[in-house]
Amino acid sequence: MTDTSRPEYISFDIYGTLINWDTDATTLRLLDGRLPEEQWPAFKKVFRGYRFDEVLEYRPYEEVLQRSFDRVCKYFGIGPTPGAGAEFADAVRSFGAHDDVPAPLKLMGDNFKLVALSNADDSFLEISIPKLGAHFHAVLTAEQAQAYKPRYEAFEYMLDTLNAKPEDFLHIASHTRYDMHPMHDMGFRNLWVLDRGYDPIGPGYDYKVVKSLDEINKHLGL
């Protein structure tokens, strides 16, 4: 350890941060012949925005995926796509760990209590967590909390479940809007962005930015 005391828990976002999130193939298949190629970059950006908007009210995760896809399609003048949510859900369940995750994550898990705080239903994490190759002390989901990040209720659920305080955590995520911004506002300070290019990295939220879990392990003295 260097500049912080030893955390009681190391908490994680899962999808994107530890699990390799890539829905492009599914999205392109569902859009086949319905979207001009030159509109694809804009579609991806707007789709991401609608997914963020949809999690501000709790619904089952497959429904979130269906509604956000139908809304972005409407934005681009495309009709609804029945079954899209189920196809995206199947894709998410199929995703594996980032190649750079299992070894350093196991080292962390051998020395600290790991906590998952994920924006998905229990059934997704039951499939995804075993792919990470490390022991998790607790796996907490939006389904359990009945709230998605960035809602404060999601983080309050973690605190209440573990009978913990913000200062008990070192939190790692690749998403600034879902994790870092609300957590900072709630008093979490040991925040680490694992930069995978998902969100803009900006000042004002006191988080550290790394490119690998190995860098965090070095900080932790592992």
Side-chain angles (χ1 to χ4, degrees):
M1 298 292 293
T2 55
D3 61 344
T4 61
S5 60
R6 179 182 175 89
E8 179 71 18
Y9 302 103
I10 300 181
S11 54
F12 290 89
D13 168 68
I14 300 301
Y15 293 108
T17 302
L18 301 182
I19 294 289
N20 188 5
W21 174 279
D22 185 0
T23 58
D24 284 3
T26 301
T27 308
L28 286 168
R29 185 174 67 254
L30 292 168
L31 290 173
D32 188 28
R34 298 197 293 164
L35 183 78
E37 184 177 349
E38 62 271 16
Q39 291 186 347
W40 169 240
F43 187 98
K44 286 178 62 177
K45 183 177 180 179
V46 176
F47 185 23
R48 191 160 186 263
Y50 274 119
R51 292 199 304 272
F52 182 86
D53 187 66
E54 278 294 327
V55 299
L56 299 181
E57 180 179 352
Y58 181 76
R59 295 182 176 88
Y61 191 49
E62 185 174 312
E63 188 176 344
V64 166
L65 295 168
Q66 179 72 55
R67 285 174 57 90
S68 57
F69 190 69
D70 283 343
R71 290 177 70 191
V72 68
C73 284
K74 181 180 179 181
Y75 181 95
F76 281 88
I78 301 169
T81 309
E87 292 203 37
F88 281 116
D90 287 343
V92 173
R93 293 187 188 99
S94 75
F95 296 157
H98 285 284
D99 290 342
D100 62 355
V101 162
L105 186 66
K106 184 179 186 306
L107 180 59
M108 279 186 187
D110 288 343
N111 291 274
F112 292 90
K113 296 175 183 177
L114 306 186
V115 176
L117 182 63
S118 179
N119 269 6
D121 296 341
D122 291 356
S123 63
F124 289 78
L125 277 299
E126 288 168 1
I127 292 171
S128 297
I129 290 293
K131 297 178 181 179
L132 297 173
H135 173 71
F136 275 77
H137 174 76
V139 178
L140 310 177
T141 69
E143 181 181 7
Q144 296 167 28
Q146 292 291 287
Y148 290 96
K149 300 175 294 182
R151 296 296 303 274
Y152 284 14
E153 289 95 330
F155 303 104
E156 289 168 343
Y157 178 75
M158 179 173 71
L159 294 174
D160 291 345
T161 299
L162 298 173
N163 191 27
K165 304 179 293 297
E167 53 265 34
D168 296 329
F169 292 85
L170 184 158
H171 186 74
I172 302 168
S174 57
H175 307 288
T176 56
R177 290 200 302 168
Y178 286 91
D179 290 69
M180 299 303 164
H181 296 175
M183 292 185 82
H184 178 272
D185 292 345
M186 292 179 70
F188 292 85
R189 288 295 179 270
N190 203 351
L191 301 174
W192 295 71
V193 174
L194 179 54
D195 185 10
R196 298 200 186 277
Y198 293 117
D199 286 356
I201 305 296
Y205 288 94
D206 300 329
Y207 49 70
K208 302 174 182 66
V209 182
V210 295
K211 293 291 186 180
S212 71
L213 294 181
D214 288 317
E215 294 176 65
I216 304 176
N217 278 342
K218 183 177 179 181
H219 164 82
L220 292 167
L222 302 179

Short mmCIF file of all heavy atoms in Angstrom, two decimals, residues 15 121-131 139 141 143:
data_model
loop_
_atom_site.label_atom_id
_atom_site.label_comp_id
_atom_site.label_asym_id
_atom_site.label_seq_id
_atom_site.Cartn_x
_atom_site.Cartn_y
_atom_site.Cartn_z
N TYR A 15 -19.66 -5.79 -16.33
CA TYR A 15 -19.74 -5.79 -17.80
C TYR A 15 -19.03 -4.58 -18.38
O TYR A 15 -19.34 -3.44 -18.10
CB TYR A 15 -21.19 -5.86 -18.26
CG TYR A 15 -21.82 -7.18 -17.90
CD1 TYR A 15 -22.76 -7.28 -16.89
CD2 TYR A 15 -21.42 -8.36 -18.56
CE1 TYR A 15 -23.33 -8.51 -16.56
CE2 TYR A 15 -21.96 -9.58 -18.22
CZ TYR A 15 -22.91 -9.66 -17.21
OH TYR A 15 -23.45 -10.88 -16.87
N ASP A 121 -29.40 -8.69 -14.19
CA ASP A 121 -30.18 -9.58 -13.33
C ASP A 121 -29.30 -10.70 -12.79
O ASP A 121 -28.22 -10.99 -13.32
CB ASP A 121 -31.33 -10.21 -14.13
CG ASP A 121 -32.34 -9.19 -14.61
OD1 ASP A 121 -32.37 -8.08 -14.06
OD2 ASP A 121 -33.09 -9.51 -15.54
N ASP A 122 -29.78 -11.36 -11.74
CA ASP A 122 -29.03 -12.45 -11.13
C ASP A 122 -28.62 -13.52 -12.15
O ASP A 122 -27.50 -14.04 -12.10
CB ASP A 122 -29.87 -13.13 -10.04
CG ASP A 122 -30.08 -12.24 -8.83
OD1 ASP A 122 -29.52 -11.13 -8.77
OD2 ASP A 122 -30.82 -12.67 -7.92
N SER A 123 -29.53 -13.85 -13.07
CA SER A 123 -29.26 -14.94 -14.01
C SER A 123 -28.06 -14.66 -14.90
O SER A 123 -27.37 -15.59 -15.33
CB SER A 123 -30.50 -15.23 -14.86
OG SER A 123 -30.83 -14.11 -15.66
N PHE A 124 -27.80 -13.38 -15.18
CA PHE A 124 -26.63 -13.03 -15.99
C PHE A 124 -25.35 -13.24 -15.21
O PHE A 124 -24.37 -13.80 -15.71
CB PHE A 124 -26.73 -11.56 -16.45
CG PHE A 124 -27.78 -11.30 -17.47
CD1 PHE A 124 -29.11 -11.19 -17.12
CD2 PHE A 124 -27.44 -11.16 -18.81
CE1 PHE A 124 -30.09 -10.93 -18.07
CE2 PHE A 124 -28.41 -10.90 -19.77
CZ PHE A 124 -29.73 -10.79 -19.40
N LEU A 125 -25.34 -12.80 -13.96
CA LEU A 125 -24.12 -12.92 -13.15
C LEU A 125 -23.82 -14.36 -12.78
O LEU A 125 -22.64 -14.73 -12.63
CB LEU A 125 -24.25 -12.06 -11.89
CG LEU A 125 -23.91 -10.56 -12.04
CD1 LEU A 125 -22.48 -10.39 -12.49
CD2 LEU A 125 -24.84 -9.85 -13.01
N GLU A 126 -24.85 -15.19 -12.66
CA GLU A 126 -24.62 -16.60 -12.38
C GLU A 126 -23.81 -17.26 -13.48
O GLU A 126 -23.06 -18.21 -13.24
CB GLU A 126 -25.97 -17.31 -12.22
CG GLU A 126 -26.69 -16.96 -10.92
CD GLU A 126 -28.13 -17.43 -10.91
OE1 GLU A 126 -28.56 -18.06 -11.90
OE2 GLU A 126 -28.84 -17.17 -9.91
N ILE A 127 -23.92 -16.73 -14.70
CA ILE A 127 -23.15 -17.25 -15.83
C ILE A 127 -21.80 -16.54 -15.94
O ILE A 127 -20.77 -17.17 -16.21
CB ILE A 127 -23.96 -17.08 -17.13
CG1 ILE A 127 -25.18 -18.00 -17.11
CG2 ILE A 127 -23.10 -17.36 -18.36
CD1 ILE A 127 -26.16 -17.75 -18.25
N SER A 128 -21.78 -15.24 -15.73
CA SER A 128 -20.58 -14.45 -16.01
C SER A 128 -19.52 -14.52 -14.92
O SER A 128 -18.32 -14.56 -15.22
CB SER A 128 -20.97 -12.98 -16.25
OG SER A 128 -21.80 -12.86 -17.39
N ILE A 129 -19.92 -14.52 -13.67
CA ILE A 129 -18.92 -14.49 -12.58
C ILE A 129 -17.98 -15.69 -12.63
O ILE A 129 -16.76 -15.53 -12.47
CB ILE A 129 -19.62 -14.39 -11.21
CG1 ILE A 129 -20.24 -13.00 -11.04
CG2 ILE A 129 -18.65 -14.69 -10.07
CD1 ILE A 129 -19.26 -11.86 -10.95
N PRO A 130 -18.46 -16.93 -12.87
CA PRO A 130 -17.53 -18.05 -12.94
C PRO A 130 -16.48 -17.92 -14.05
O PRO A 130 -15.42 -18.55 -13.97
CB PRO A 130 -18.44 -19.26 -13.18
CG PRO A 130 -19.76 -18.85 -12.59
CD PRO A 130 -19.87 -17.39 -12.89
N LYS A 131 -16.75 -17.12 -15.07
CA LYS A 131 -15.79 -16.93 -16.15
C LYS A 131 -14.59 -16.09 -15.73
O LYS A 131 -13.59 -16.04 -16.46
CB LYS A 131 -16.47 -16.27 -17.35
CG LYS A 131 -17.58 -17.09 -17.97
CD LYS A 131 -18.23 -16.35 -19.13
CE LYS A 131 -19.37 -17.15 -19.74
NZ LYS A 131 -20.03 -16.43 -20.86
N VAL A 139 -21.93 -11.03 -4.66
CA VAL A 139 -22.33 -10.68 -6.03
C VAL A 139 -23.68 -9.98 -5.93
O VAL A 139 -24.70 -10.60 -5.62
CB VAL A 139 -22.41 -11.92 -6.93
CG1 VAL A 139 -22.89 -11.52 -8.33
CG2 VAL A 139 -21.06 -12.63 -7.01
N THR A 141 -26.60 -7.33 -7.57
CA THR A 141 -27.14 -7.03 -8.89
C THR A 141 -28.23 -5.98 -8.82
O THR A 141 -28.80 -5.71 -7.76
CB THR A 141 -27.73 -8.29 -9.54
OG1 THR A 141 -28.92 -8.66 -8.83
CG2 THR A 141 -26.74 -9.45 -9.53
N GLU A 143 -31.10 -6.42 -10.04
CA GLU A 143 -32.33 -7.15 -9.68
C GLU A 143 -32.51 -7.18 -8.17
O GLU A 143 -33.62 -6.97 -7.66
CB GLU A 143 -32.28 -8.56 -10.25
CG GLU A 143 -33.54 -9.37 -9.93
CD GLU A 143 -33.49 -10.78 -10.47
OE1 GLU A 143 -32.43 -11.20 -10.99
OE2 GLU A 143 -34.53 -11.47 -10.39
#
